[in-house]
Amino acid sequence: MKPILQNLVEMTGHRDHLRLEVSVLTTLQAFSGMVQVRSLEVFMLDGEYYCRPRTWMDGRGQWLSAGTEAQSDPQRVRVADMPALHECLQAHASQAVAKLGKGRHALWLPVWMNDKVHTCLEVIQARPFSAQKIDTINSVFQVFQNYQSLLDYSERDALTGLFNRKTFDEQFARATTHDTSEPIALELPRDSAEPGAEGADKQWLAVVDIDHFKMVNDRFGHLYGDEVLILVANILRSSFRSHDRIFRFGGEEFVVLLRSTSLATAHKVFNRFRKNVEDYYFPQVGQVTVSVGFVSAENGSPVEVLGRADQALYFAKENGRNQVRYYDDLVAAGLLQTKQVSNDDVELF
């Protein structure tokens, strides 16, 4: 019991979802008789539940975390092929137990948030689960879930549910660097990029601004303005992959960290999002458009990269709006001048 309590103390010391998840998996791994403990990502594809490994331990005792897009992950499986888990998700139940074969008994613990499930902890051991062991595992799981909710509350924008400004620096560092000082070694495999494509396998940062948003508030009121923000946030979520990161910086401004793709794909993805907003009918308000400025996220500090994307954004807004502009193209065409921005010079947003 003492090692488990020590693991719980460590678990609630984390301020990061991924390391919190690794910590609860480490705690469960410490139980006797464990064969495998991992986190599964649950997602919808063609109207069906699928799942794929998200965080797991390899044969060397190193925790790995998936970085590829869930829908294209070759390890994905239909939840319908896992009858006990499928029934559990359909019933919105708290757990499922099944025998997988000789010496393999599984316990699944879905993480429900607002009646939706995106994550499920999978615990496999050699013997059937006793009622006492399930209760103990459930207690650890509840501590994990409660603490995860606290993290969500502190990291998320209250209106849209997107990441807030204070989480940006950490997420930016994770997307653009590999921090070897972390006590838990996590390998984050990247998506394969198009062979020979310019800017292949790079990270991109975009600043998004809703065009004429002040007019929406002035004409229709802040209640409909808030509805527009929520709907744009929903379009952002559906337009990008699960491992890309989306932030609301305040007001009508959003930031997107697009991970591991080529310049050509970045252009396509950002323009697809812009078109999705343009084609959407916003109740009472009608048509809404957005302007986007983006830049490579790999050259400079967060404030420098944000500054360049912000320059591209405001060029877009001053030259017709409802368009996507790439900073390097504007500089190459002589339409923007490069600026040196330091952390002491400006505070963005």
Side-chain angles (χ1 to χ4, degrees):
M1 182 62 71
K2 188 175 179 181
I4 293 174
L5 292 176
Q6 289 173 338
N7 282 333
L8 286 174
V9 170
E10 180 193 340
M11 184 169 73
T12 54
H14 290 296
R15 297 294 183 272
D16 170 86
H17 281 282
L18 181 57
R19 278 150 188 83
L20 173 63
E21 186 171 273
V22 168
S23 189
V24 71
L25 294 176
T26 302
T27 303
L28 296 175
Q29 188 80 47
F31 281 74
S32 62
M34 291 298 160
V35 174
Q36 185 181 49
V37 176
R38 59 182 183 170
S39 166
L40 305 178
E41 181 177 354
V42 182
F43 56 96
M44 296 293 289
L45 182 61
D46 298 329
E48 282 192 274
Y49 274 123
Y50 278 76
C51 68
R52 60 92 176 248
R54 188 170 81 170
T55 309
W56 67 95
M57 183 181 285
D58 67 5
R60 299 169 295 170
Q62 180 175 346
W63 289 104
L64 305 180
S65 181
T68 56
E69 189 173 0
Q71 284 81 353
S72 59
D73 193 329
Q75 296 190 75
R76 72 183 187 277
V77 295
R78 292 169 66 245
V79 174
D81 295 331
M82 308 160 71
L85 178 58
H86 186 258
E87 183 179 339
C88 171
L89 298 185
Q90 292 292 331
H92 283 221
S94 60
Q95 65 182 47
V97 180
K99 181 179 180 181
L100 303 180
K102 187 177 181 180
R104 289 177 64 85
H105 297 263
L107 170 65
W108 290 290
L109 300 165
V111 180
W112 291 101
M113 296 187 70
N114 301 321
D115 290 329
K116 293 184 179 180
V117 59
H118 300 288
T119 311
C120 179
L121 301 189
E122 179 185 73
V123 182
I124 297 177
Q125 69 174 25
R127 296 181 178 180
F129 287 88
S130 66
Q132 182 181 4
K133 193 163 190 179
I134 288 178
D135 285 344
T136 306
I137 290 174
N138 264 315
S139 297
V140 172
F141 177 69
Q142 287 301 319
V143 172
F144 160 72
Q145 203 164 20
N146 290 343
Y147 197 69
Q148 188 178 57
S149 296
L150 288 174
L151 281 183
D152 262 338
Y153 182 78
S154 67
E155 293 180 350
R156 301 279 177 174
D157 172 59
L159 179 67
T160 63
L162 300 176
F163 285 115
N164 58 28
R165 172 66 180 90
K166 78 174 192 175
T167 64
F168 172 74
D169 287 348
E170 182 180 347
Q171 294 283 349
F172 181 93
R174 183 182 300 161
T176 57
T177 65
H178 178 65
D179 186 359
T180 56
S181 66
E182 291 293 342
I184 301 170
L186 291 170
E187 292 181 3
L188 299 175
R190 301 187 174 193
D191 290 346
S192 57
E194 297 89 335
E198 182 186 353
D201 203 33
K202 292 181 70 173
Q203 326 305 320
W204 309 92
L205 181 141
V207 180
V208 177
D209 188 272
I210 301 175
D211 297 328
H212 301 298
F213 185 70
K214 185 177 183 301
M215 291 174 56
V216 173
N217 278 334
D218 291 346
R219 182 178 177 186
F220 300 99
H222 289 275
L223 186 63
Y224 285 110
D226 285 351
E227 183 178 35
V228 168
L229 291 169
I230 293 168
L231 293 172
V232 169
N234 291 341
I235 297 170
L236 277 162
R237 285 192 192 90
S238 63
S239 299
F240 295 94
R241 302 164 298 182
S242 60
H243 62 283
D244 298 323
R245 291 293 176 260
I246 309 167
F247 308 81
R248 183 188 176 203
F249 267 45
E252 68 271 28
E253 291 176 310
F254 302 86
V255 170
V256 179
L257 274 172
L258 184 66
R259 298 183 61 186
S260 304
T261 195
S262 70
L263 174 59
T265 301
H267 268 291
K268 182 170 67 176
V269 170
F270 290 132
N271 271 293
R272 182 181 62 197
F273 158 68
R274 180 197 60 78
K275 192 70 166 60
N276 288 344
V277 175
E278 183 184 22
D279 291 345
Y280 188 88
Y281 177 78
F282 290 77
Q284 303 298 323
V285 175
Q287 187 185 55
V288 171
T289 62
V290 294
S291 298
V292 181
F294 80 99
V295 68
S296 167
E298 298 184 344
N299 300 308
S301 67
V303 72
E304 290 172 320
V305 173
L306 278 168
R308 295 178 196 128
D310 206 44
Q311 284 182 265
L313 166 70
Y314 279 95
F315 184 91
K317 293 186 76 67
E318 291 169 3
N319 290 272
R321 295 183 170 85
N322 190 24
Q323 57 187 275
V324 176
R325 290 291 188 159
Y326 175 45
Y327 174 81
D328 287 17
D329 285 347
L330 296 173
V331 171
L335 299 173
L336 282 182
Q337 292 184 342
T338 58
K339 294 181 181 179
Q340 289 296 323
V341 181
S342 72
N343 291 310
D344 297 328
D345 291 335
V346 295
E347 183 178 349
L348 294 172
F349 305 99

